[in-house]
């Protein structure tokens, strides 16, 4: 059920870089930051960790990540 005085947001973060390796490294840093937030009063869960895509128009690689974030208001 829903805990009183809590808020939930679903956010998508896109990590862009010039190489696929760099995009995955940045995505891993985001994952680590979200895990750290769990120790600071937030509850985060990764909903989707997408594969690395190449953005043809901008010529960069990207990793899309979806998170559910809960916190007390």
């Amino acid at each position: 059920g829903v805990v009183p005085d809590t808020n939930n947001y679903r956010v998508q973060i896109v990590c862009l870089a010039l190489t696929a390796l760099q995009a995955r490294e940045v995505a891993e840093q985001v994952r680590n930051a979200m895990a750290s937030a769990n120790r600071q009063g937030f509850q985060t869960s990764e909903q989707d960790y997408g594969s690395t895509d190449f953005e043809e128009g901008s010529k960069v690689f990207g990793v899309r990540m979806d998170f559910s974030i809960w916190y007390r208001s």
Side-chain angles (χ1 to χ4, degrees):
V2 175
V3 177
D5 300 324
T6 60
N7 295 294
N8 176 249
Y9 293 94
R10 185 165 173 150
V11 296
Q12 183 178 80
I13 299 172
V14 181
C15 303
L16 301 173
L18 296 177
T19 69
L21 177 61
Q22 289 171 332
R24 287 191 301 271
E25 288 172 343
V26 172
E28 189 60 30
Q29 291 176 8
V30 170
R31 288 174 107 184
N32 291 339
M34 289 298 206
S36 177
N38 282 334
R39 296 185 296 271
Q40 299 174 18
F42 292 87
Q43 179 61 45
T44 66
S45 63
E46 193 171 331
Q47 302 296 304
D48 183 35
Y49 185 83
S51 60
T52 305
D53 296 319
F54 183 70
E55 304 285 336
E56 189 64 42
S58 57
K59 306 291 188 213
V60 296
F61 290 87
V63 176
R64 285 181 180 78
M65 308 164 67
D66 292 324
F67 292 91
S68 178
I69 303 171
W70 290 87
Y71 70 95
R72 288 195 182 278
S73 54

